[in-house]
């Protein structure tokens, strides 16, 4: 705390000296430009009888020693005046900054809901206050989202663990359990373990996507989509979903593994939240400086005001949109994280007849931050 006070006083001292030096230099400048004309002025005095014609003579008006003494006294008096004015002006300028600093320390230490709320006049310090208010708002939203994410992740992980423990306790407590009973319990335990494994993989994919892109490779997006579709066709056929594609070469730059995760989650989401006799259409195309991937699927009608919520972790439109509970609410969150990591643009619209149409646009052929 003492160091902060010393630094603050030091800044005020430096500003006060700078302002005082300016005031003092201005005083010297004025005195010089006043003394020089005065030194050259010749006084005019009357001479002769009052009734006679006016006769004048000239003589020195202000003597040079008088000017020098007066100037020296004025400069000496100007020193404390300049210092006092400089200190006052520096304090006035630093007062709003001190208020901003004190309030920001209180906000960051105890209450992120509080804001500076600087009013008029609008100046550089007011703009700084607005910037800090925006920063505090983003921090608050980030902390709230983190707490919400941890709570949901803990719940999702605890549920299968509790089911697994209950299953094993029941199996061990049964004195008449035979091989078939134990085998059935082991199969259910494996299913619960698989559920946990898929959830952990989804969480890992989300964390990897939010970490950002560490490698930028050039690849054809259509090839990536083709590979993902090949691994999902059997699943779509089993559920009676028609999977159509229209893939044209679409060269872009990014992390192929993250892009593959994005495509897989988009298609999995389209299959999972669809009708038994629904359809999915996947297209890739190049348009100007952008490469676009579009996934359109049928399904239940989705309100427009609920679309953005689906891109948050563990958010679902309904607990069970089509009768199964094999989703975690992380698919579109992973899509959103990969999109942001690649500086891409995602556009989502709800189809009037039901389902979603999601388009992700990447930069064509080069790193978006490079020429």
């Amino acid at each position: 705390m003492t160091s902060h006070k010393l630094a603050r006083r030091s800044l005020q001292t430096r500003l006060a000296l700078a302002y005082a030096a300016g005031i003092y230099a201005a005083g010297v400048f004025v005195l010089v430009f006043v003394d020089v004309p005065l030194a050259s002025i010749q006084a005019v005095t009357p001479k002769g009888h009052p009734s006679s014609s006016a006769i004048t003579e000239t003589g020195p008006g202000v003597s040079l020693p008088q000017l020098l003494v007066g100037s020296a006294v004025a400069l000496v008096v100007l020193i404390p005046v300049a210092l006092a004015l400089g200190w006052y002006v520096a304090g006035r300028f630093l007062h709003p900054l001190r208020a901003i600093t004190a309030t920001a320390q209180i906000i960051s230490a105890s209450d992120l809901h509080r804001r500076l709320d600087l009013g008029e006049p609008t100046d550089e310090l007011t703009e700084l206050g607005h910037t800090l208010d925006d920063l505090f708002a983003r921090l608050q939203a980030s902390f709230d989202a983190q707490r919400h994410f941890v709570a949901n992740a803990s719940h999702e992980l605890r549920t299968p663990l509790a089911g697994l423990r209950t299953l094993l306790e029941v199996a061990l407590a049964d004195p008449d359990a035979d091989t078939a009973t134990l085998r059935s319990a082991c199969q259910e335990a494996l299913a619960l373990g698989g559920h946990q494994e898929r959830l952990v993989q989804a969480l890992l994919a989300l964390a990897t996507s939010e970490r950002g892109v560490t490698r930028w490779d050039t690849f054809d997006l259509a090839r990536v989509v083709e590979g993902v579709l090949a691994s999902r066709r059997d699943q779509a056929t089993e559920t009676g979903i028609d999977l159509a594609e229209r893939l044209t070469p679409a060269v872009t730059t990014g992390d192929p593994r993250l892009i593959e995760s994005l495509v897989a989650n988009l298609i999995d989401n389209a299959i999972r939240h669809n009708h038994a006799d629904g359809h999915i259409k996947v297209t890739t195309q190049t348009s100007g400086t952008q490469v676009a991937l579009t996934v359109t699927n049928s399904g239940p009608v989705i309100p427009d005001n609920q679309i953005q919520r689906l891109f948050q972790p563990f958010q679902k439109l309904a607990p069970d949109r089509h009768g199964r509970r094999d989703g975690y609410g992380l698919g579109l969150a992973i899509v959103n994280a990969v999109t942001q990591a690649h500086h891409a643009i995602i556009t989502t619209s709800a189809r009037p007849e039901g389902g979603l149409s999601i388009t992700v646009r990447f930069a064509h052929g080069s790193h978006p931050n490079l020429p």
Side-chain angles (χ1 to χ4, degrees):
M1 185 67 179
T2 305
S3 62
H4 290 300
K5 288 183 177 180
L6 291 176
R8 189 167 57 192
R9 290 175 181 174
S10 176
L11 177 59
Q12 184 172 359
T13 302
R14 293 198 301 269
L15 289 176
L17 291 176
Y19 295 144
I23 297 172
Y24 196 79
V28 173
F29 181 80
V30 171
L31 285 176
V32 169
F33 274 81
V34 170
D35 286 351
V36 171
L38 286 178
S40 62
I41 291 177
Q42 299 294 320
V44 178
T45 58
K47 184 180 180 181
H49 194 274
S51 62
S52 62
S53 300
I55 300 175
T56 61
E57 67 176 1
T58 61
V62 181
S63 64
L64 184 60
Q66 290 176 330
L67 286 175
L68 294 177
V69 172
S71 299
V73 172
L75 291 177
V76 171
V77 173
L78 186 59
I79 292 176
V81 174
L83 289 174
L85 287 176
W87 185 265
Y88 174 77
V89 173
R92 291 290 296 176
F93 275 112
L94 289 178
H95 178 72
L97 186 60
R98 292 172 179 172
I100 291 175
T101 303
T103 307
Q105 289 175 345
I106 295 175
I107 293 174
S108 60
S110 59
D111 187 9
L112 283 175
H113 295 80
R114 185 174 176 180
R115 297 292 180 268
L116 297 173
D117 291 331
L118 297 181
E120 300 295 335
T122 301
D123 52 19
E124 288 80 0
L125 292 178
T126 306
E127 292 179 359
L128 175 61
H130 294 334
T131 302
L132 290 176
D133 283 341
D134 293 339
L135 175 61
F136 293 140
R138 291 194 298 270
L139 286 175
Q140 178 187 346
S142 177
F143 289 153
D144 291 342
Q146 185 181 27
R147 286 192 290 266
H148 184 70
F149 177 83
V150 171
N152 285 324
S154 301
H155 174 74
E156 293 289 342
L157 288 170
R158 183 177 58 186
T159 299
L161 285 175
L164 179 61
R165 179 174 181 175
T166 302
L167 178 66
L168 295 176
E169 288 178 347
V170 170
L172 292 175
D174 186 4
D176 300 326
D178 54 9
T179 304
T181 302
L182 295 177
R183 182 179 295 275
S184 176
C186 289
Q187 290 175 347
E188 292 184 23
L190 286 175
L192 291 173
H195 177 88
Q196 288 179 288
E197 183 179 2
R198 290 189 297 272
L199 176 58
V200 171
Q201 288 177 347
L203 292 173
L204 180 60
L206 179 60
T208 304
S209 304
E210 291 179 340
R211 185 180 59 189
V213 180
T214 57
R215 52 178 292 188
W216 292 89
D217 297 335
T218 301
F219 60 92
D220 188 354
L221 180 60
R223 294 289 185 89
V224 177
V225 175
E226 186 178 1
V228 174
L229 288 175
S231 63
R232 301 304 196 272
R233 288 193 182 279
D234 292 341
Q235 181 182 358
T237 302
E238 291 176 0
T239 54
I241 297 175
D242 179 37
L243 190 57
E245 62 187 73
R246 190 180 66 186
L247 307 179
T248 58
V251 178
T252 186
T253 304
D255 190 332
R257 293 175 299 178
L258 291 180
I259 297 297
E260 183 178 0
S261 175
L262 177 145
V263 175
N265 279 281
L266 280 177
I267 296 176
D268 288 342
N269 184 78
I271 294 175
R272 181 177 298 114
H273 305 295
N274 211 321
H275 297 308
D277 56 348
H279 61 84
I280 300 173
K281 183 178 181 180
V282 183
T283 63
T284 59
Q285 61 180 347
T286 301
S287 176
T289 60
Q290 291 184 334
V291 168
L293 164 67
T294 302
V295 178
T296 303
N297 65 276
S298 58
V301 177
I302 301 175
D304 291 334
N305 59 357
Q306 296 294 317
I307 293 178
Q308 293 302 320
R309 186 172 64 86
L310 297 177
F311 287 89
Q312 301 300 320
F314 300 106
Q315 294 295 320
K316 303 177 184 179
L317 184 63
D320 186 9
R321 277 158 57 181
H322 71 302
R324 299 195 302 272
R325 296 179 180 269
D326 53 352
Y328 310 104
L330 292 174
L332 293 182
I334 295 173
V335 170
N336 187 48
V338 176
T339 301
Q340 293 182 359
H342 285 81
H343 311 287
I345 301 173
I346 186 169
T347 305
T348 308
S349 60
R351 304 171 70 238
E353 62 273 23
L356 284 174
S357 178
I358 301 177
T359 300
V360 183
R361 293 180 174 87
F362 300 92
H364 174 49
S366 62
H367 192 302
N369 292 334
L370 295 176

